[in-house]
Amino acid sequence: MNILLTGGAGYIGSHTAALLLREGHDVTLLDNLSNSDIGVLDRLHAISNREISFVQADIRETDVLERVLVGNHIDAVIHFAGLKAVGESVRLPIAYYDNNVNGTISLLRAMQATDVRTLVFSSSATVYGDPKYLPLDEKHPTGPTNPYGQTKLHIEEILRDVAASEPLWKIAILRYFNPVGAHDSGLLGENPNGIPNNLMPFVARVAAGKLPRVEIFGDDYDTADGTGVRDYIHVADLAAGHLAALGYLSRTPPGYEVFNLGTGQGYSVKEMIAAFAAASGRPIPSVVVGRRAGDIASCYADPTRARTLLGWEARLTLADMCASAWRFQSRLAES
Ligand code: NAD
Ligand code: WQD
């Protein structure tokens, strides 16, 4: 298949591109490089030994999207492009709604105009908001607690309405839990600008000696060791989930489906730090500080639906996640 990956130069998009290339698909990456760098193309080439088609553009440029969809004979789109920092979205809601929601509307216009109607969308477990029960299945009520999550929910609702309006669309919504880890080669991974907001990249930098200690945001939650519990999923498993979703869409009638992509297993902050220390062989100093505003005690998926309908499940372990993230972090230090 010819697949367009919006936001394909980013963390999850680049891993998915590597897998699609390995499986013999042709990919076009379209990215405005607002949170990624062009160097990822050389690294994808080194991994795949394939030429990568890249377009530097913004998804709000509908005419560019139309040209790419037609010119590259695109069969399906995986839509990763978006802004994703929760705290930033509270400060800059207009930018988030414009980029994420208007960007998606632009993409849908271009797809409709060019008759490409197969779409996989990167959503997030953040659409569930505060869990009313665990594990979270897809029927759990939605109720995001920040503008970033609202943009994801609005997009899901737009996609649902679009699928209902025209029975040609094949749309899969993938609600990711906490993606972590890196490509086996050590060439692709997550390297946020500035001080990381998320736990795993922060821990990796402490292990590398670039930051002094991890601040554990609260140890008084109602969890086994008092620290927050999340469903961390290896980015390589997540990439495989996209391939499974494309396979599902190709063999089923048009429609709109929602899937959790998680492992079903929660780990605490303390367990994550211990696992990373074991994988890296480095000490990881930590200090318990107050809770981070807006955090919840526990969040993990019921991944049954994806297993049953997509034939997909996460296979890689916490040790795999930490070892691959450490390999990537170590390579960064060398380059
Ligand atoms: P990322 O920032 O690494 O990748 C997103 C890419 O989209 C970046 O390369 C960025 O430059 C590009 N982009 C952003 N706005 C664009 C625009 N208007 N036009 C063109 N390109 C644009 O993030 P990621 O972690 O790879 O996330 C990919 C998707 O998955 C996002 O939609 C994100 O919201 C979603 N998601 C991520 C997580 C996570 O924790 N990483 C969890 C759930 C969902
Ligand atoms: C994990 C745990 C923190 C940093 C966020 C978004 C969510 C999704 C994934 C996109 C929590 C604790 C963290 C630190 C810590 N993204 N922590 N010290 O908050 O589950 O989810 O990323 O869709 O929308 O909200 O992930 O990695 O920030 O935190 O103790 O320095 O680690 O309190 O318990 P989170 P996270």
Side-chain angles (χ1 to χ4, degrees):
M1 284 173 91
N2 288 320
I3 302 163
L4 172 65
L5 282 64
T6 72
Y11 172 48
I12 303 168
S14 59
H15 286 82
T16 305
L19 181 64
L20 291 170
L21 288 163
R22 198 185 80 193
E23 296 299 311
H25 297 286
D26 289 318
V27 300
T28 298
L29 313 188
L30 183 142
D31 202 299
N32 65 4
L33 301 179
S34 59
N35 196 36
S36 47
D37 80 277
I38 193 81
V40 78
L41 296 178
D42 286 341
R43 298 195 288 275
L44 274 172
H45 178 67
I47 290 167
S48 65
N49 204 21
R50 300 264 309 274
E51 291 310 316
I52 321 290
S53 166
F54 176 72
V55 181
Q56 183 168 352
D58 193 292
I59 50 170
R60 289 163 291 187
E61 296 175 77
T62 316
D63 53 333
V64 178
L65 286 171
E66 285 183 20
R67 280 202 297 279
V68 172
L69 288 163
V70 173
N72 290 13
H73 309 289
I74 299 299
D75 302 302
V77 178
I78 310 183
H79 178 30
F80 297 101
L83 300 175
K84 62 163 185 177
V86 171
E88 187 181 63
S89 78
V90 176
R91 289 196 309 280
L92 304 172
I94 300 171
Y96 270 68
Y97 284 104
D98 185 31
N99 195 85
N100 294 3
V101 179
N102 286 341
T104 302
I105 291 172
S106 164
L107 173 65
L108 290 168
R109 278 195 209 285
M111 291 178 70
Q112 193 176 46
T114 57
D115 223 0
V116 179
R117 286 191 173 77
T118 300
L119 177 66
V120 176
F121 172 60
S122 300
S123 190
S124 169
T126 198
V127 298
Y128 294 119
D130 296 339
K132 303 204 173 355
Y133 60 83
L134 288 167
L136 291 161
D137 59 24
E138 292 83 353
K139 292 197 176 76
H140 186 283
T142 50
T145 56
N146 56 71
Y148 163 68
Q150 288 287 2
T151 69
K152 290 290 173 189
L153 185 58
H154 284 318
I155 294 166
E156 288 196 9
E157 288 167 342
I158 291 166
L159 294 176
R160 189 196 55 210
D161 292 345
V162 166
S165 73
E166 236 187 351
L168 295 165
W169 288 87
K170 295 181 160 204
I171 298 178
I173 306 292
L174 305 182
R175 292 178 177 160
Y176 312 154
F177 280 67
N178 289 57
V180 296
H183 195 264
D184 264 349
S185 62
L187 291 175
L188 304 174
E190 190 179 16
N191 185 28
N193 295 330
I195 298 193
N197 297 311
N198 294 116
L199 179 66
M200 183 69 124
F202 198 106
V203 169
R205 286 193 196 174
V206 174
K210 293 185 173 171
L211 291 168
R213 72 191 71 79
V214 184
E215 291 189 343
I216 299 175
F217 298 147
D219 66 352
D220 55 353
Y221 285 106
D222 184 16
T223 61
D225 65 18
T227 66
V229 167
R230 297 290 183 276
D231 187 337
Y232 298 94
I233 175 167
H234 198 303
V235 67
D237 277 330
L238 205 60
H242 294 77
L243 202 69
L246 286 173
Y248 173 82
L249 293 179
S250 70
R251 66 177 179 268
T252 51
Y256 166 94
E257 297 285 351
V258 181
F259 300 99
N260 283 339
L261 292 189
T263 65
Q265 161 86 54
Y267 288 106
S268 74
V269 176
K270 284 186 175 168
E271 286 174 316
M272 292 301 288
I273 294 173
F276 209 96
S280 62
R282 299 286 182 96
I284 302 183
S286 65
V287 57
V288 176
V289 298
R291 292 182 178 195
R292 182 171 65 178
D295 269 352
I296 50 179
S298 297
C299 173
Y300 49 92
D302 177 348
T304 308
R305 195 154 198 279
R307 187 166 59 233
T308 311
L309 295 183
L310 303 183
W312 168 91
E313 64 186 323
R315 298 186 184 287
L316 298 165
T317 64
L318 179 57
D320 297 324
M321 301 176 209
C322 295
S324 63
W326 178 240
R327 202 173 306 127
F328 175 68
Q329 182 68 48
S330 307
R331 260 194 93 100
L332 278 180
E334 289 162 14
S335 57

